[in-house]
Amino acid sequence: MIKKSYNKNLHKLNTFGMRVRATLYIEYDSVEDLTAIQWDKLPQPVLNIGEGSNLLFTKDFPGTILHSGIRGIEVLEERSCGDDLFVRAGAGVIMDDFCDWAARKEVWGPENLSAIPGTVGAAPVQNIGAYGVEAADIIDSVECFEMATGKIVTFSAAQCEFGYRDSFFKHNRGRYIVTHVTFHLYGDFRPVLEYGKLKEEVERNAEIYKADTDPYKPIYQTRFVPPMPVSPMLVRETVKIIRENKLPSPSKKGSAGSFFKNPVVDAAVFRAVENTAAGLKGGTVAVPHYDLPDGSVKIPAAWLIEFCGFKGRTCGGAAVWEKQPLVIVNDTGRATPRDIVALENTIIDKIRDTFGIELSPEVDHI
Ligand code: EPU
């Protein structure tokens, strides 16, 4: 069913909590609804959003905001075989509900993506990622409604052109609306625990929950006893704890998760960063980094931002999150887009001046 509202306040429809309005707001819950829309009559531009968890409205939106309520998670029995499970989810399903569904079924794949705000439909657009797993690793195909033709087009994972927080859809905004995503999940034991201290934390929790006798705890292990105590639910719960300790709770502080991407630089630029940091600190500095297969180096933007002294820095109602400076929060609940953009620009300028590195925002500016 289609629901329309005019001059809609978007305050509760973007996780940053920006108080902006859209000329028209449309909620729909099926592909048939999309087919029935008279696209040429809508105020332009048209923007489809999920939970609004990765965008910053910089002003009132002059066009139409669409919001998907397409739900449902179904196992594609005809394609699933042995340990391979193909699961089709509606774009409006909350991504964390999908992670929970998979963990309860004890299948591997999305557990590391637990507690990322947003919907299934947004996952391929942004190629969401956390703790060593990206949406691209588990996406089989993506079904889209093509606005110009009204047709449903299915993209294979290769056609989605996934990159780091990047996809074909990001470069073709306004052309497609994701309606369903099919995931490829696995029944055989395949946790991904190489990121940071995840393995250590999972093992520590496994010990705690082994000792726990309450059978109603979601992470209580009954089937997996040592030497294989690790389950998708245990990894999911561990990831949730790590996130809770670092990232602002979406219900308490508005934010859009990581505000910037981690920059990828040439090895020579990385050495220059080490030298600059050493010069400024007056001694060797261990700059955290990840060497990529092509010889380039990924530097955590959080480290650069912390090094430049921004932890906790405020600008009007906006602030840099103390526990993870990659996140900008709507600290007072009354931050304006102008506050956030001013803080963003101050950070970008300082990091450019200090290290010659250009940070790019991960969050879409609308
Ligand atoms: N760091 C600091 N100071 C801090 C926090 C982190 O220097 O206060 C440095 C440390 O060196 C740390 C490194 O940053 O080892 C990495 O930190 P973290 O593991 O928190 O990951 P991240 O690179 O900052 C990325 C994603 C997050 C995702 C985490 C975990 C991006 C832009 N962000 O952050 O994704 O949850 O890894 O996988 O790639 C999001 O996209 O919204 C998001 C939260």
Side-chain angles (χ1 to χ4, degrees):
M1 207 179 66
I2 291 181
K3 276 202 272 175
K4 283 186 181 182
S5 354
Y6 289 90
N7 196 26
K8 175 82 172 174
N9 186 341
L10 301 178
H11 176 220
K12 296 214 162 67
L13 296 162
N14 68 102
T15 58
F16 244 133
M18 293 296 103
R19 292 161 198 270
V20 294
R21 288 183 177 270
T23 306
L24 176 60
Y25 175 74
I26 300 181
E27 270 177 6
Y28 60 91
D29 55 22
S30 67
V31 173
E32 291 67 41
D33 287 348
L34 287 174
T35 319
I37 290 172
Q38 291 182 290
W39 296 91
D40 52 346
K41 302 244 164 67
L42 297 180
Q44 300 292 322
V46 175
L47 177 70
N48 188 72
I49 63 169
E51 282 197 292
S53 58
N54 197 56
L55 45 81
L56 173 65
F57 284 111
T58 54
K59 52 183 185 305
D60 285 341
F61 188 73
T64 306
I65 298 283
L66 289 161
H67 176 76
S68 174
I70 301 178
R71 306 242 192 273
I73 301 177
E74 56 167 331
V75 175
L76 302 179
E77 301 289 354
E78 71 284 6
R79 289 192 63 198
S80 302
C81 166
D83 282 326
D84 293 299
L85 192 73
F86 288 86
V87 182
R88 181 173 181 258
V93 171
I94 301 297
M95 189 62 199
D96 189 55
D97 290 347
F98 178 71
C99 297
D100 190 58
W101 179 93
R104 282 173 195 277
K105 281 236 176 280
E106 300 196 348
V107 286
W108 296 96
E111 61 284 350
N112 293 35
L113 305 179
S114 291
I116 296 184
T119 55
V120 161
V125 178
Q126 172 69 2
N127 187 17
I128 59 168
Y131 308 103
V133 173
E134 287 182 336
D137 301 331
I138 55 167
I139 288 179
D140 168 73
S141 55
V142 178
E143 287 160 66
C144 296
F145 177 85
E146 189 175 35
M147 284 189 254
T149 62
K151 288 193 180 135
I152 295 295
V153 186
T154 302
F155 291 84
S156 67
Q159 288 170 323
C160 293
E161 295 172 11
F162 290 123
Y164 170 52
R165 296 297 191 274
D166 197 24
S167 73
F168 171 84
F169 308 110
K170 247 187 151 169
H171 299 278
N172 287 276
R173 286 238 180 261
R175 281 183 68 189
Y176 300 99
I177 292 176
V178 175
T179 61
H180 294 88
V181 179
T182 297
F183 295 94
H184 185 174
L185 311 182
Y186 299 93
D188 57 334
F189 186 70
R190 54 170 84 194
V192 178
L193 302 177
E194 287 68 43
Y195 187 95
K197 296 206 167 117
L198 183 57
K199 185 160 190 278
E200 230 171 283
E201 297 279 309
V202 165
E203 281 167 358
R204 202 167 59 85
N205 286 338
E207 287 307 313
I208 293 171
Y209 295 116
K210 232 183 340 177
D212 197 323
T213 50
D214 177 358
Y216 297 105
K217 286 243 169 89
I219 38 191
Y220 180 70
Q221 302 303 295
T222 48
R223 280 184 47 190
F224 296 128
V225 287
M228 202 178 74
V230 176
S231 69
M233 189 58 91
L234 180 63
V235 176
R236 167 173 164 74
E237 294 293 319
T238 305
V239 163
K240 278 166 64 184
I241 294 167
I242 296 174
R243 288 184 72 96
E244 268 166 33
N245 288 336
K246 267 194 179 173
L247 298 166
S249 151
S251 60
K252 295 196 188 120
K253 282 273 183 219
S255 87
S258 299
F259 197 93
F260 299 100
K261 289 189 199 177
N262 289 323
V264 175
V265 299
D266 288 345
V269 174
F270 175 67
R271 278 193 297 278
V273 168
E274 284 184 312
N275 290 337
T276 305
L280 290 169
K281 285 278 174 208
T284 314
V285 176
V287 180
H289 63 284
Y290 312 96
D291 293 318
L292 301 179
D294 64 359
S296 59
V297 182
K298 194 187 249 190
I299 308 176
W303 183 87
L304 297 169
I305 297 169
E306 180 173 356
F307 187 88
C308 290
F310 282 109
K311 263 194 170 178
R313 176 82 67 92
T314 60
C315 176
V320 175
W321 188 241
E322 276 282 356
K323 294 183 198 159
Q324 169 44 295
L326 197 50
V327 178
I328 294 181
V329 292
N330 180 349
D331 198 38
T332 58
R334 306 292 307 185
T336 61
R338 192 187 284 245
D339 296 338
I340 292 168
V341 172
L343 189 51
E344 168 189 6
N345 288 334
T346 312
I347 293 170
I348 291 176
D349 290 347
K350 178 74 180 171
I351 286 177
R352 185 194 305 113
D353 292 349
T354 310
F355 292 112
I357 289 179
E358 194 70 27
L359 281 189
S360 36
E362 202 231 60
V363 168
D364 279 335
H365 292 52
I366 308 292

